[in-house]
Amino acid sequence: MSNPPPTILVIFGASGDLTARKLAPAIFNLSKDNLLPENCYLIGVGRTPMEDGSFRKYLNESLSNHSRRKIGHEEWQKLESKIFFHSGAYDDLKSFGILEEKILELEKDLGKQAQCLFYISTPPNVFESILENLGESGLAKRHHGTDFSSKVII
């Protein structure tokens, strides 16, 4: 099996219940089982104003409350440095430009391209705004036609 490319998982609605109860524990368990790429990052996106540190604390508490396996201090430290948060409105194209800057910054730090997985974990009434802005901003078409092309998951 070949090594998976560096991956940036972007979760829209990251401060919500689905992320806390299901997505964060699932991602942690994949990490614990060494099933994530070595270079795997998480950017949570939400309308709630939140700093990276607050989002990391929120996810750590979510794991403590909802994961089937407990997270050790060293395991958390390994994950924590790869978790970020972006506050912004789903109907604001500028917000998607700022999100793209965060993605480009991670790629620059990696020294290579990364595939982006955009997971829509929001109420259905905002799907359209998110999908339109992913397309309009060019994020949905990043690295199109390569092994690093973007994927959108609803």
Side-chain angles (χ1 to χ4, degrees), residues 12 45-47 86-100 126-139:
F12 289 90
V45 179
R47 296 177 289 194
H86 172 68
S87 297
Y90 302 136
D91 61 354
D92 180 12
L93 185 57
K94 275 188 191 177
S95 178
F96 285 74
I98 296 167
L99 174 60
E100 181 178 28
V126 293
F127 285 3
E128 186 175 354
S129 295
I130 294 169
L131 295 172
E132 283 179 359
N133 283 316
L134 281 172
E136 192 74 25
S137 67
L139 286 170

Side-chain angles (χ1 to χ4, degrees), residues 20-153:
R21 291 182 177 275
K22 301 293 181 184
L23 298 179
I27 293 164
F28 164 68
N29 283 297
L30 288 171
S31 174
K32 194 166 179 82
D33 293 335
N34 294 315
L35 295 172
L36 291 179
E38 180 181 339
N39 292 306
C40 187
Y41 297 85
L42 170 63
I43 300 176
V45 179
R47 296 177 289 194
T48 305
M50 193 181 308
E51 298 294 324
D52 292 341
S54 298
F55 182 60
R56 290 171 182 149
K57 182 178 178 189
Y58 169 75
L59 288 184
N60 193 357
E61 290 170 359
S62 297
L63 294 174
S64 295
N65 294 329
H66 303 292
S67 180
R68 62 185 158 85
R69 295 190 282 183
K70 297 303 171 197
I71 185 165
H73 180 71
E74 286 182 24
E75 291 171 309
W76 176 248
Q77 283 187 314
K78 182 181 167 188
L79 290 173
E80 184 179 35
S81 65
K82 296 179 177 185
I83 298 171
F84 306 93
F85 192 80
H86 172 68
S87 297
Y90 302 136
D91 61 354
D92 180 12
L93 185 57
K94 275 188 191 177
S95 178
F96 285 74
I98 296 167
L99 174 60
E100 181 178 28
E101 289 172 15
K102 286 187 177 211
I103 291 168
L104 290 171
E105 187 177 316
L106 287 173
E107 285 183 326
K108 182 180 177 188
D109 291 347
L110 279 167
K112 53 184 150 183
Q113 295 178 334
Q115 69 173 339
C116 287
L117 306 177
F118 297 101
Y119 193 105
I120 316 299
S121 174
T122 62
N125 65 329
V126 293
F127 285 3
E128 186 175 354
S129 295
I130 294 169
L131 295 172
E132 283 179 359
N133 283 316
L134 281 172
E136 192 74 25
S137 67
L139 286 170
K141 301 173 198 149
R142 293 185 87 246
H143 311 307
H144 181 71
T146 72
D147 290 342
F148 303 98
S149 61
S150 296
K151 286 95 176 154
V152 179
I153 305 160

